[in-house]
């Protein structure tokens, strides 16, 4: 190493007291290697410490590796390998040397069980956190690939995908010119491979001897499967690494990243810089490479998120066009023109302290509202309902293609084992029963005495928290109502009522949402644990139900209030309906749609921005904390035995563990966003655009987070996104009714339509403002409710309602036109809901779940695999038949030949008889 650079002067294992451990050898500093004890199948090195080995320029072998001349070459070979062999580390177990004594016996039993399955283990004990490195040999991979029914590529595969049509080719060329497709040099297209369920009895199908036949993903899957099922104690349920981690026997169990982020040549480096980079946000995702690295479950999330984001593009364009239509028709909007030009004195917004005010003060507000509340709104609502149906149907087709491409056609989950937490909580249970599927004794949870009461209590508490969320919304409403009075005391302008009150209320609601989420999230997990759900799927489904119901109420309740309740039950100046002594809020003469938009924008955009920051900040803080703890322990060490093993397993140990709920949170965030985009899109046409911008960044930030701050997850096979598809379907159905009610009750569309068709003989909306404002005689104010110091001396004020004038015999009562408008509102909801639902049903019916091309390909591939099996089995049968005939011929020939065979073989009488018997059977 005489010519090596400074960075090549040291091994990757650094001593705490480097001044004591450094020695000079040939003018090069070196450091003693960490003490490694090889475990079970790995040969012992002889002694507690590895021999100090200098890497000479002569290029001799070090630690069984290939010829190594520099430190960099040594590091590349030792980063993910066993210490004294060419074996790659496929999985790692970590434990604390200061654990309980009972944990030692459990680890010994468990690791012995792992060795009996064929795994190769090596233990590294060079610091307080000890590591057990696992390698899965090829024989074990073959055995468990058959058990897990993994679909593996077959050899001699000349199957070709159908050629794309001219339209697809044209679109592909356009995308390549726009530079949104993947770089083929960095992500070469993977050759399509025909797959079949792996079977050791069909060696002619699979090229098992190929070094790339079993990918890292398959190795990790097999290792995880073994770890989850091997025993560590005498009881039937004393098995599985999750239970050992839960009781503290092990600190962690994880597969390894294939290198550091800055290690050029690793898949992690490639994905981090080409996929997880914000600068690549307009490019497609390398979903096949993501699947190979992270597994199907995580890759399917990013595939779904990317598909959803692309589908938001047409929705965003139509939303922008609707907004532009409102801007271009603003000059012809008579309602906003009348509000700005007419001198109309409005009644006070609160009793005693509020003054009369001029309607022209809301001129700007009415113009902005026209951008949202215009004839294009109806079209956009219908479009988004159909868009939601098309999106879900297209996703079903696309996910079927992805599942087939990833070898998941026909895949079904096997019987799930009990959750480790379930077994720990019932470790002392006396009553057990046999599971007919797994044939294991499992603890029994009495349904009527234990499980049912716990479920009832759990959902009762969840319902109570939903009521708390509603109570907070009511509190914010009261805050808004009380703020109007305080505004009058401080003589604030009308702009404060129109803009400041909705914005501050929206921000306050957002803060309350975040706080409630933080508390309820932990509460929901505790409640679900109390239910004693047996499997992880049952646990996740119950947790998802409770959390989504609460989130639905927490996020959408204030928006539903503005859309369907605000200003609907106000009363009139001489008889206001009051809540806790406060008058209810009124909508402006232009309606409540603008305020609904403000509330939506604040909650949706603010929540997305906060989630994006927290998703990156929390994993970063965890990583920094873990690194600080490890460094602090090293600094406090008194002996030279405390070393930093600079390798992949110690680097990954400092990362956060990617829990199953991590992906649950990602799905939940996107599903809530989907609710904003569909449920209230009539009030916020820019919702798809904001969702699109957020998701473009969300994909890359999530990718960066998983690549940089989390350990590599265990690949999991799933066919689809699970229960979230049903949730999205339900939201789409609710959105049809929701948008119909927003148009009917929060917009001026129906009153204006009735006015044009029934009231105005010219069938125009000219004079609609006058029609929508009722008169009130100021002398009819109740004592103590009229303004104390009125600025305007007026006998009559106006308010936004449909009521008889004060000179009518039935003054301030509902006129007939009000009931006509109400009837039209209800009729519109019924017609809209049925018409759009019919169109959506037609869309769902006309778009099959699996395309005809894919269905034909699945049948074709199944036929071809069967033909290959039949052909090879026929050839094997012929060979066996030829062998039988040769043996029969041999036995029927001259006895001397027969006896010569016996004499050459020695005492083979039994063997000959056996062969003869088997031949006859054949």
């Amino acid at each position: 190493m005489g010519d090596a650079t400074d960075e090549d002067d040291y091994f990757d294992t650094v001593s705490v007291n480097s001044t004591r451990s450094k020695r000079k050898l040939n003018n090069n500093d070196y450091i003693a290697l960490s003490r490694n004890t090889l475990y079970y199948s790995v040969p012992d090195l002889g002694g507690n410490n590895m021999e100090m080995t200098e890497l000479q320029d002569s290029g001799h072998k070090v630690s069984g590796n290939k010829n190594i001349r520099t430190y960099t070459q040594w590091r590349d070979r030792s980063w993910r390998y066993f210490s004294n062999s060419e074996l790659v580390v496929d999985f790692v177990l970590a434990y604390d040397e200061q654990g309980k004594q009972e944990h030692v016996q459990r680890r010994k039993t468990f690791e012995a069980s792992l060795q009996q399955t064929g795994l190769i283990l090596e233990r590294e004990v060079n610091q307080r956190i000890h590591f057990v490195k696992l390698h899965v040999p090829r024989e074990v991979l073959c055995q468990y690939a058959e058990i897990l029914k993994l679909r593996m590529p077959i050899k001699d595969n000349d199957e070709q995908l159908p050629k794309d049509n001219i339209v697809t080719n044209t679109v592909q060329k356009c995308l390549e010119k726009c530079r949104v497709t993947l770089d083929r040099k960095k992500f070469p297209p993977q050759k399509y491979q025909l797959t079949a369920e792996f079977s050791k009895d069909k060696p002619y199908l699979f090229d098992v001897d190929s070094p790339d036949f079993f990918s890292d993903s398959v190795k990790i899957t097999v290792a995880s499967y073994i770890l989850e099922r091997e025993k560590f104690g005498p009881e039937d349920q004393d098995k599985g690494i999750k239970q050992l981690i839960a009781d503290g026997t092990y600190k962690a169990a994880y597969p390894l990243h294939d290198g550091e982020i800055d290690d050029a040549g690793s898949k992690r480096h490639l994905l981090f810089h080409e996929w997880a980079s914000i600068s690549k946000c307009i490019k497609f995702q390398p979903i096949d490479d993501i699947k190979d690295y992270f597994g199907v479950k995580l890759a399917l999330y990013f595939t779904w998120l990317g598909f959803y984001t692309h589908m938001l593009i047409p929705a965003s364009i139509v939303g922008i066009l609707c907004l532009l239509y409102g801007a271009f028709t603003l000059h012809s909007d008579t309602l906003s023109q009348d509000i700005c030009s007419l001198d109309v004195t409005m009644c006070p917004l609160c009793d005693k302290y509020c003054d009369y005010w001029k309607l022209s003060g809301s001129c700007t507000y009415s113009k902005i509202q026209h951008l949202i509340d215009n004839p294009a709104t109806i079209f956009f609502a219908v479009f988004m309902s159909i868009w939601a149906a098309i999106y879900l149907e297209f996703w079903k087709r696309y996910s079927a293609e992805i599942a087939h491409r990833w070898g998941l056609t026909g895949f079904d989950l096997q019987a799930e084992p009990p959750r480790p937490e379930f077994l720990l909580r019932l470790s002392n249970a006396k009553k057990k029963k046999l599971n007919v599927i797994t044939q294991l004794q499992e603890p029994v949870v009495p349904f009527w005495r234990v499980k049912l009461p716990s479920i009832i209590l759990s959902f009762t508490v969840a319902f109570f928290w939903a009521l708390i969320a509603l109570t907070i919304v009511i509190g914010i409403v009261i805050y808004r109502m009380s703020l109007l009075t305080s505004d009058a005391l401080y003589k604030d302008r009308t702009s404060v009522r129109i803009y400041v009150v909705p914005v501050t209320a929206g921000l306050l609601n957002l803060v309350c949402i975040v706080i409630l989420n933080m508390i309820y999230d932990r509460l929901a997990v505790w409640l679900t644990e109390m239910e004693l759900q047996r499997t992880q799927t049952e646990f996740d489904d119950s947790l998802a139900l409770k959390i989504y119901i609460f989130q639905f109420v927490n996020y959408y309740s204030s928006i539903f209030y503005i859309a369907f309740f605000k200003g609907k039950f106000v009363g009139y100046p001489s008889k206001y309906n009051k809540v806790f002594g406060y008058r209810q809020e009124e909508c402006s003469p232009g309606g409540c749609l603008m305020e609904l938009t403000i509330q939506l924008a604040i909650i949706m955009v603010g929540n997305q921005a906060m989630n994006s920051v927290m998703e990156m900040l929390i994993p970063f803080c965890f990583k920094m904390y873990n690194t600080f703890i490890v460094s602090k322990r090293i600094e406090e060490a008194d002996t030279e035995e405390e070393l930093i093993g600079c390798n992949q397993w110690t680097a990954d140990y400092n990362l956060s563990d990617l829990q199953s709920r991590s992906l649950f949170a990602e799905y939940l965030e996107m599903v809530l966003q989907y609710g904003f985009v569909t449920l209230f899109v009539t009030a916020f046409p820019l919702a798809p655009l904001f969702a699109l911008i957020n998701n473009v960044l969300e994909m890359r930030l999530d990718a960066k987070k998983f690549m940089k701050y989390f350990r590599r997850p265990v690949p999991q096979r799933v066919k689809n996104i699970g229960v979230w598809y049903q949730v999205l379907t339900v939201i789409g159905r609710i959105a049809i009714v929701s948008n119909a009610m927003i148009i009917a009750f929060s917009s001026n569309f129906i009153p204006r339509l009735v006015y044009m068709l029934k009231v105005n003989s010219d069938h125009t909306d000219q004079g609609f403002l006058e029609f929508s404002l009722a008169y009130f005689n100021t002398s009819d104010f109740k004592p103590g409710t009229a303004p104390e110091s009125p600025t305007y001396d007026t006998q009559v004020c106006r308010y936004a309602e449909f009521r008889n004038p004060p000179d009518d015999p039935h003054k301030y009562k509902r006129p007939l036109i009000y009931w006509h408008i109400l009837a039209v509102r209800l009729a519109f909801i019924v017609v809209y809901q049925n018409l759009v639902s019919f169109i959506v049903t037609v869309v769902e019916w006309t778009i099959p779940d699996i395309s005809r091309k894919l269905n034909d390909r699945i049948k074709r591939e199944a036929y071809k695999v069967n033909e290959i099996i039949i052909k090879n089995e026929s050839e094997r049968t012929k060979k066996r038949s030829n062998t039988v005939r040769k043996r029969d011929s041999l036995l029927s020939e001259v006895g001397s030949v027969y006896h010569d065979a016996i004499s050459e073989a020695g005492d083979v009488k039994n063997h000959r008889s056996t062969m003869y018997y088997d031949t006859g059977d054949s």
Side-chain angles (χ1 to χ4, degrees):
M1 294 176 59
D3 297 330
T5 59
D6 292 340
E7 68 173 1
D8 289 343
D9 288 343
Y10 300 95
F11 284 106
D12 249 348
T13 307
V14 182
S15 173
V16 179
N17 302 310
S18 57
T19 56
R20 290 186 293 168
S21 62
K22 284 186 180 180
R23 302 178 186 177
K24 290 287 184 178
L25 185 60
N26 293 340
N27 297 323
N28 283 320
D29 290 333
Y30 78 97
I31 300 176
L33 291 176
S34 61
R35 177 165 56 89
N36 291 271
T37 303
L38 299 188
Y39 193 65
Y40 294 130
S41 301
V42 184
D44 188 23
L45 292 176
N48 293 330
N49 293 304
M50 293 180 62
E51 181 182 358
M52 300 178 188
T53 306
E54 181 193 7
L55 303 180
Q56 300 285 356
D57 287 335
S58 60
H60 64 273
K61 292 183 179 181
V62 178
S63 296
N65 290 330
K66 297 179 180 179
N67 290 343
I68 298 176
R69 297 179 179 274
T70 66
Y71 154 75
T72 303
Q73 292 175 339
W74 175 85
R75 178 185 178 280
D76 291 339
R77 293 301 299 161
S78 65
W79 191 253
R80 296 181 69 243
Y81 285 75
F82 276 40
S83 300
N84 198 38
S85 68
E86 297 287 334
L87 300 180
V88 179
V89 179
D90 296 321
F91 221 94
V92 172
L93 307 179
Y95 63 94
D96 194 335
E97 66 174 351
Q98 298 183 2
K100 299 178 181 178
Q101 186 61 35
E102 62 187 34
H103 295 163
V104 176
Q105 183 59 40
R106 288 184 179 180
R107 284 195 294 266
K108 184 177 180 180
T109 304
F110 183 67
E111 291 164 13
S113 299
L114 296 180
Q115 186 204 12
Q116 291 175 3
T117 64
L119 297 185
I120 300 176
L121 289 76
E122 180 186 39
R123 179 178 290 165
E124 181 179 292
V125 290
N126 58 353
Q127 51 185 324
R128 176 175 176 178
I129 301 299
H130 295 175
F131 298 96
V132 178
K133 295 171 280 186
L134 310 179
H135 173 77
V136 188
R138 186 168 297 270
E139 296 76 13
V140 178
L141 290 172
C142 291
Q143 177 185 357
Y144 282 90
E146 185 174 22
I147 293 173
L148 294 172
K149 298 182 179 180
L150 299 179
R151 294 186 69 89
M152 305 297 293
I154 67 175
K155 58 184 177 181
D156 299 330
N157 174 30
D158 58 352
E159 186 74 12
Q160 298 294 328
L161 287 175
K163 294 183 178 180
D164 295 328
N165 54 40
I166 188 172
V167 176
T168 305
N169 289 330
T170 303
V171 172
Q172 183 68 22
K173 291 180 181 179
C174 293
L175 293 175
E176 289 177 357
K177 290 184 178 180
C178 296
R179 297 184 178 181
V180 298
T181 56
L182 295 173
D183 188 345
R184 292 179 177 269
K185 294 181 180 179
K186 297 176 180 177
F187 297 100
Q190 297 184 4
K191 180 184 176 182
Y192 181 73
Q193 293 181 306
L194 203 59
T195 61
E197 282 191 7
F198 184 80
S199 174
K200 293 187 295 182
D201 296 333
K202 299 180 177 66
Y204 51 81
L205 271 182
F206 309 98
D207 188 10
V208 181
D209 295 329
S210 172
D212 299 326
F213 181 74
F214 291 109
S215 63
D216 288 344
S217 180
V218 173
K219 296 175 183 177
I220 295 171
T221 300
V222 170
S224 175
Y225 183 85
I226 295 174
L227 287 170
E228 289 177 358
R229 284 155 179 78
E230 289 307 308
K231 298 188 66 175
F232 58 83
E235 299 294 332
D236 286 342
Q237 302 304 331
D238 290 344
K239 67 174 188 175
I241 187 62
K242 291 183 179 179
Q243 192 168 344
L244 289 172
I245 293 176
D247 65 16
T249 302
Y250 287 100
K251 300 280 289 184
Y254 51 91
L256 299 181
H257 285 291
D258 68 341
E260 286 293 89
I261 290 174
D262 297 328
D263 291 344
S266 67
K267 181 63 73 69
R268 188 185 185 191
H269 171 86
L270 177 64
L271 290 175
F272 183 80
H273 291 282
E274 297 296 328
W275 169 53
S277 174
I278 299 296
S279 62
K280 309 292 182 180
C281 63
I282 64 171
K283 287 186 175 292
F284 291 160
Q285 299 183 99
I287 56 175
D288 291 323
D289 295 85
I290 299 171
K291 186 267 298 182
D292 292 339
Y293 194 81
F294 284 114
V296 173
K297 187 173 183 179
L298 197 67
L300 196 61
Y301 163 72
F302 282 104
T303 305
W304 170 77
L305 181 56
F307 185 86
Y308 168 50
T309 303
H310 281 92
M311 287 293 293
L312 284 172
I313 295 176
S316 302
I317 294 174
V318 176
I320 294 173
L321 291 177
C322 290
L323 215 64
L324 292 176
Y325 174 84
F328 290 143
T329 58
L330 182 60
H331 67 280
S332 61
D333 180 44
T334 57
L335 180 61
S336 59
Q337 290 177 357
D338 289 346
I339 289 176
C340 295
S341 60
L342 297 181
D343 184 19
V344 178
T345 303
M346 302 297 292
C347 295
L349 295 174
C350 64
D351 295 340
K352 190 175 181 179
Y353 301 107
C354 294
D355 196 2
Y356 302 107
W357 58 284
K358 293 294 182 179
L359 182 59
S360 57
S362 60
C363 175
T364 304
Y365 181 91
S366 63
K367 290 181 179 180
I368 297 175
Q369 175 156 308
H370 177 72
L371 301 178
I372 304 166
D373 188 7
N374 57 67
T377 303
I378 307 297
F379 167 78
F380 189 50
V382 175
F383 171 83
M384 287 303 297
S385 297
I386 299 174
W387 171 88
I390 293 176
Y391 155 64
L392 292 176
E393 291 302 310
F394 278 5
W395 165 249
K396 238 191 309 191
R397 285 168 61 95
Y398 184 63
S399 63
E401 294 180 4
I402 292 295
H404 177 69
R405 188 200 305 181
W406 291 346
L408 296 169
T409 302
F411 167 73
D412 192 12
L413 289 175
Q414 297 178 344
E416 277 193 88
R419 297 175 62 245
E421 297 83 355
F422 172 82
L423 297 177
L424 282 176
R425 293 193 63 181
L426 297 176
S427 57
N428 297 323
K430 298 180 180 179
K431 187 177 180 181
K432 296 184 179 181
K433 71 174 182 179
L434 181 69
N435 186 314
V436 294
I437 299 175
T438 61
Q439 293 297 308
L440 294 175
Q441 292 290 334
E442 295 182 0
V444 177
V445 180
F447 180 79
W448 296 104
R449 185 165 51 87
V450 177
K451 193 162 187 177
L452 182 61
S454 63
I455 292 176
I456 293 175
L457 176 61
S458 175
F459 278 90
T460 301
V461 175
F463 180 73
F464 173 74
W465 271 84
L467 291 180
I468 291 178
L470 283 176
T471 304
I472 289 179
V473 171
I474 295 173
I476 293 175
V477 171
I478 294 174
Y479 157 79
R480 294 157 63 105
M481 293 187 297
S482 63
L483 199 62
L484 295 176
T485 303
S486 65
D487 287 344
L489 290 174
Y490 293 102
K491 298 182 179 180
D492 285 335
R493 300 289 182 181
T494 306
S495 60
V496 175
R497 174 184 62 84
I498 295 177
Y499 302 110
V500 175
V501 173
V503 170
T504 56
L507 291 174
L508 182 61
N509 190 33
L510 177 62
V511 172
C512 293
I513 286 173
V514 173
I515 294 175
L516 282 177
N517 282 345
M518 293 174 62
I519 299 175
Y520 182 78
D521 190 58
R522 292 169 176 78
L523 178 64
V525 174
W526 178 76
L527 292 173
T528 311
E529 289 284 1
M530 187 176 61
E531 295 173 9
L532 296 175
Q533 299 291 351
R534 175 184 170 272
T535 65
Q536 190 64 42
T537 299
E538 294 173 349
F539 180 88
D540 291 342
D541 288 345
S542 179
L543 181 64
L545 181 61
K546 282 192 284 292
I547 288 185
Y548 186 74
I549 290 175
F550 174 78
Q551 298 278 29
F552 190 94
V553 174
N554 198 21
Y555 277 96
Y556 301 147
S557 54
S558 63
I559 301 173
F560 274 111
Y561 160 74
I562 296 175
F564 306 130
F565 296 101
K566 182 181 177 182
K568 305 299 186 295
F569 313 101
V570 176
Y572 54 96
S574 62
K575 190 180 179 181
Y576 283 118
N577 300 319
K578 297 186 177 183
V579 177
F580 297 109
Y582 295 106
R583 274 174 50 182
Q584 296 184 41
E585 295 179 283
E586 301 177 34
C587 294
S588 72
C592 285
L593 208 58
M594 181 61 188
E595 189 169 345
L596 182 60
T597 303
I598 295 175
Q599 187 81 358
L600 271 168
I602 291 175
I603 294 178
M604 177 182 173
V605 179
N607 181 66
Q608 290 179 348
M610 188 174 300
N611 283 339
S612 298
V613 173
M614 296 302 292
E615 285 177 2
M616 293 299 295
L617 186 61
I618 292 177
F620 173 77
C621 292
F622 270 114
K623 182 181 179 182
M624 295 301 295
Y625 173 77
N626 291 337
T627 305
F628 170 76
I629 292 298
V630 172
S631 302
K632 187 174 180 62
R633 286 175 178 172
I634 293 169
E635 291 174 359
E636 293 175 353
D638 296 328
T639 66
E640 296 185 10
E641 294 182 359
E642 288 288 346
L643 305 171
I644 306 174
C646 196
N647 43 50
Q648 193 65 61
W649 46 91
T650 51
D652 288 359
Y653 180 79
N654 293 327
L655 302 178
S656 300
D657 189 20
L658 186 59
Q659 303 288 342
S660 60
R661 289 204 58 222
S662 301
L663 209 55
F664 170 82
E666 303 296 338
Y667 273 115
L668 179 62
E669 179 186 353
M670 289 296 104
V671 170
L672 288 171
Q673 181 204 87
Y674 182 80
F676 285 115
V677 169
T678 54
L679 290 172
F680 311 104
V681 72
T682 303
F684 193 22
L686 292 180
L689 178 63
F690 282 105
L692 174 64
I693 296 172
N694 174 81
N695 291 0
V696 168
L697 300 176
E698 179 81 13
M699 277 189 294
R700 310 301 166 169
L701 291 177
D702 282 348
K704 185 183 291 291
K705 174 180 65 176
F706 291 138
M707 296 297 301
K708 189 174 183 179
Y709 299 120
F710 285 94
R711 297 169 186 157
R712 188 173 183 174
V714 174
Q716 298 181 34
R717 293 181 293 168
V718 292
K719 289 183 63 175
N720 46 50
I721 61 175
V723 70
W724 298 110
Y725 183 85
Q726 283 72 32
V727 173
L728 295 174
T729 303
V730 172
I731 291 176
R733 294 294 184 177
I734 296 175
I736 297 175
V737 181
S738 173
N739 284 294
M741 295 182 67
I742 290 175
I743 295 172
F745 291 102
S746 297
S747 167
N748 277 317
F749 174 75
I750 299 299
R752 186 179 295 192
L753 182 65
V754 172
Y755 174 77
M756 293 170 60
L757 296 178
K758 186 175 180 63
V759 178
N760 193 343
S761 58
D762 296 334
H763 301 297
T764 65
D765 62 350
Q766 194 69 37
F768 173 72
L769 178 64
E770 178 69 22
F771 167 74
S772 62
L773 297 178
Y775 289 87
F776 180 76
N777 194 322
T778 56
S779 60
D780 291 334
F781 274 121
K782 289 183 178 180
T785 60
E788 285 186 336
S789 304
T791 305
Y792 305 100
D793 186 13
T794 179
Q795 298 296 320
V796 176
C797 63
R798 311 292 294 273
Y799 59 101
E801 263 284 13
F802 293 101
R803 291 187 180 272
N804 292 324
D807 56 354
D808 190 275
H810 304 284
K811 66 177 183 179
Y812 307 138
K813 299 296 183 182
R814 297 288 190 186
L816 185 61
I817 192 65
Y818 168 81
W819 302 108
H820 287 170
I821 293 175
L822 180 60
V824 175
R825 291 183 198 267
L826 297 176
F828 172 81
I829 293 175
V830 174
V831 172
Y832 179 93
Q833 193 272 336
N834 285 278
L835 178 62
V836 176
S837 296
F838 173 75
I839 297 174
V840 168
T841 303
V842 171
V843 169
E844 295 174 348
W845 180 73
T846 54
I847 302 178
D849 295 349
I850 300 178
S851 65
R852 187 185 65 180
K853 185 184 297 185
L854 176 60
N855 197 29
D856 293 342
R857 193 195 312 163
I858 293 173
K859 294 178 181 178
R860 162 66 183 166
E861 293 175 0
Y863 169 79
K864 187 170 182 179
V865 172
N866 288 334
E867 286 295 307
I868 295 174
I869 294 174
I870 292 173
K871 178 182 177 182
N872 283 274
E873 289 295 334
S874 298
E875 292 177 354
R876 293 175 70 179
T877 303
K878 290 179 181 179
K879 291 179 180 179
R880 286 196 296 266
S881 298
N882 292 335
T883 303
V884 170
R885 285 196 293 269
K886 289 180 180 179
R887 289 175 178 175
D888 289 342
S889 177
L890 179 64
L891 293 174
S892 64
E893 285 182 0
V894 182
S896 61
V897 177
Y898 179 72
H899 290 292
D900 287 344
I902 296 178
S903 62
E904 290 177 5
D907 187 14
V908 291
K909 180 178 181 181
N910 292 332
H911 179 65
R912 177 177 58 80
S913 301
T914 303
M915 289 179 60
Y916 181 77
Y917 180 80
D918 291 341
T919 302
D921 275 355
S922 299

